């Protein structure tokens, strides 16, 4: 288990970039955990599959970014965003539902990133590493 701090040789100690996975597929959660575990200074702080659990996890802990599916076991990713309001972590929608109306709704809600699970799986860790580096700067 990683500690709350990660060492960086050039800047001293850096706080980890904390990611919450909100996804209803257990297989994908495990794949994401394995992939994100390879990133420096990025920590998966939890994984939930329901709207209410996602909101509670964000409100009760420090989360820098949410990797958010739109279709959840109960509730929706858009519901999570609406319930969190404007004071929320970075939102990365990661979904199979890339319909134009969903993309418009995401933009209207101020969602930061909208990725397609099928074509952007390799982009997600790159994006999270970029966001971690911005936070550390």
């Amino acid at each position: 288990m990683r500690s709350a701090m990660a060492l960086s040789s050039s800047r001293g100690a850096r706080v980890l970039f904390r990611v919450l996975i909100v996804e209803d597929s257990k297989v994908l959660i495990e794949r994401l955990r394995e992939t994100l575990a390879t990133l420096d200074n990025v920590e998966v702080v939890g994984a939930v599959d329901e709207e209410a659990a996602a909101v509670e996890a964000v409100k009760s802990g420090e989360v820098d970014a949410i990797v958010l599916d739109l279709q959840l076991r109960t509730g929706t990713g858009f519901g999570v965003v609406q319930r969190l309001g404007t004071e929320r972590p970075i939102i990365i929608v990661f979904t199979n539902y890339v319909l134009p109306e969903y993309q418009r709704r995401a933009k209207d809600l101020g969602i930061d990133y909208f990725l397609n699970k099928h074509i952007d799986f390799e982009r997600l860790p790159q994006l999270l590493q970029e966001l971690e580096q911005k936070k550390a700067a």
Side-chain angles (χ1 to χ4, degrees):
M1 180 174 194
R2 293 189 199 181
S3 67
M5 299 293 281
L7 295 180
S8 168
S9 59
S10 62
R11 294 191 193 138
R14 284 190 357 202
V15 175
L16 291 173
F17 188 79
R18 294 172 176 90
V19 177
L20 175 68
I21 299 171
V22 181
E23 169 64 54
D24 62 339
S25 166
K26 291 185 186 314
V27 172
L28 187 55
I29 288 171
E30 286 311 308
R31 188 168 173 215
L32 286 170
R33 281 185 183 277
E34 290 171 6
T35 300
L36 300 183
T38 66
L39 301 178
D40 291 337
N41 302 318
V42 174
E43 177 182 38
V44 174
V45 295
V48 297
D49 62 359
E50 297 180 337
E51 180 179 318
V55 172
E56 180 61 29
V58 171
K59 290 184 176 182
S60 66
E62 188 175 332
V63 176
D64 297 303
I66 303 172
V67 176
L68 181 66
D69 191 9
L70 293 179
Q71 302 299 318
L72 303 174
R73 191 163 62 89
T74 59
T76 68
F78 288 134
V80 171
V81 173
Q82 289 175 307
R83 289 175 63 181
L84 289 175
T86 57
E87 295 297 317
R88 62 182 184 228
I90 296 165
I91 305 289
I92 303 168
V93 167
F94 194 57
T95 186
N96 291 322
Y97 301 96
V98 292
L99 302 169
E101 57 265 30
Y102 285 173
Q103 293 178 9
R104 278 192 299 277
R105 185 155 185 220
K107 184 177 179 185
D108 291 345
L109 289 171
I111 290 173
D112 304 287
Y113 302 93
F114 195 99
L115 302 180
N116 181 330
K117 286 180 185 176
H118 292 293
I119 62 174
D120 293 323
F121 192 88
E122 292 180 8
R123 173 70 182 122
L124 179 62
Q126 294 169 352
L127 175 59
L128 288 168
Q129 197 72 78
E130 291 167 12
L131 293 170
E132 182 278 327
Q133 290 169 356
K134 276 186 190 177
K135 179 184 175 185

